[in-house]
Amino acid sequence: PIFKDEDMRSPIICILGHVDTGKTKLLDKIRATNVQTGEAGGITQQIGASFFPRDCIEKNIARLPEDLRVGCKPPGLLIIDTPGHESFTNLRSRGASLCDLAILVIDITAKDLEQQAAESIDILRKSNVPFVIALNKIDLIGNREWRVLGPDASSKLSLESQAPHVQHHFHKNWQWLQGKITEKKGLNMEYYWKLLEAKQAPVEKSKQKKSKGKKGKAETPDQAIDDITSADSYIHVVPTSAISGEGIPDILMMLMRLSQEQMRGRLEYEDEIAATVLEVKRIEGLGVTIDVVLTNGTLHEGDTIVVAGMNGPIVSTIRGLLTPQPLKELRVKSDYVHHKAVKAAMGVKVLAEGMDHAVAGASLYVARNPAEVETYKREAMEEVDGAMQAKESEGVYVMASTLGSLEALMAFLADEKVPVMGTNLGTVHKIDVTKASIMRERGHPEYAMILAFDVEVAADAMLEAERLGVKIFTAPIIYHLTEHFKAHVAEQHE
Ligand code: GTP
Ligand code: NA
Ligand code: MG
């Protein structure tokens, strides 16, 4: 490609996989903070973004043996964590649709291709996102006989330094899992170092050819390796441990290589804005802010923005642009750095009036003139209307904090055959209670309830609920809500 290295933006990388495979822990290990222990039930409920600057990546890569090292051209890596629980398919999809590249985390002690790993592979294929596999929890191999070579050591070296029977155990586990994955998903996978060696091989071979001249049959042994490189369909497998940090330098190196060698063309910085609202949050002293993933373009203080709102499109002006200190999670409260402008790719907190009802998960538009304002108002709302449309004439009332979690909750409730009559986003208000109470009038008191995920309930809404006989169930974990629903319906039928 023709653009200069300076014009390369950071790739956006999303981390996917089955529940509890160690996605958050891997990021924590790089970040050396610990978001994971603060999560409800240990489950990641929202998407968070972390920016890892180039110098952090370079320090990690320097831990690798010399032949594996690589220079870093993009300004850094922007990594989006996603939850692995089955009810968050939509958050996984949203993460995947935002990203250039992904990490699929697989637990090396798993006995089979797990359900959400399979689903993640499907999502990544559908959105055409290349990915690497982090083969995590290597420290549990060989009945914990794994010896840590050193904190944050190269996993290639660490593996080679294990006792022969531990190495054997490792390869056997992976072979078994690999067989399952290939059988179910038809993927070709290989340890990353073998693939890198293979890519070097054709060069060596052509050197040999020059010195030895043409030799028909002598090429056969190399043929398989040639196929690996030419097919380019092999997925790089990187053993990791989020506990010891082994393999962290290896995976960061692989992400850098793929970014600058295979995907460079896609990573040219462009001026046209592409941005998504991840979260809408009230911050003390700042009011209601929106956390945005900026994939392309530059946001400036003073820009006119258009965002979908729960009661219609919101047009506002950017009053401030904040980024977290490097290496801190966007959703963890910390000191922010203020900017006049923020260039993609970056996670950024946007300060603007009127964001109270902005819809998380929606696109953010920058309008340059009144005509564009009108166009984007229409586009913004079209996106949201699809998700908000319910519903049965008889059923429960559902509320959630973001567009993504509402979609996830709706999908989950559909699976569980829970009928839904109405939906809304944000804090539960009196009006929501009134709407839910209609089920009583229609002779379905068992449906006169609000299932509220990850939102607050206003005080007057609670009083109104008591007065009208509407149950409000709130839960920080989606699947607990259906437990509430079932218990309540059973109770009503008694
Ligand atoms: P969800 O977000 O809920 O899908 O889970 P996750 O994939 O983010 O997993 P998380 O980071 O929450 O880790 C799950 C559990 O596995 C925690 O108890 C971690 O301490 C543990 N764990 C993660 N990585 C490793 C690892 O490499 N080795 C070992 N031994 N334990 C790990
Ligand atoms: Na977890
Ligand atoms: Mg997690």
Side-chain angles (χ1 to χ4, degrees), residues 127-138:
S127 15
N128 236 333
V129 176
F131 61 98
V132 295
I133 289 177
L135 198 53
N136 195 36
K137 307 201 183 182
I138 56 173

Side-chain angles (χ1 to χ4, degrees), residues 446-484:
E446 76 276 20
Y447 290 153
M449 77 169 87
I450 297 178
L451 298 180
F453 169 64
D454 194 29
V455 294
E456 302 197 344
V457 182
D460 61 348
M462 268 190 245
L463 290 176
E464 187 73 350
E466 206 151 306
R467 199 173 71 79
L468 297 177
V470 172
K471 285 269 174 195
I472 302 179
F473 294 111
T474 58
I477 295 175
I478 281 179
Y479 55 86
H480 289 170
L481 285 172
T482 47
E483 291 163 17
H484 287 312

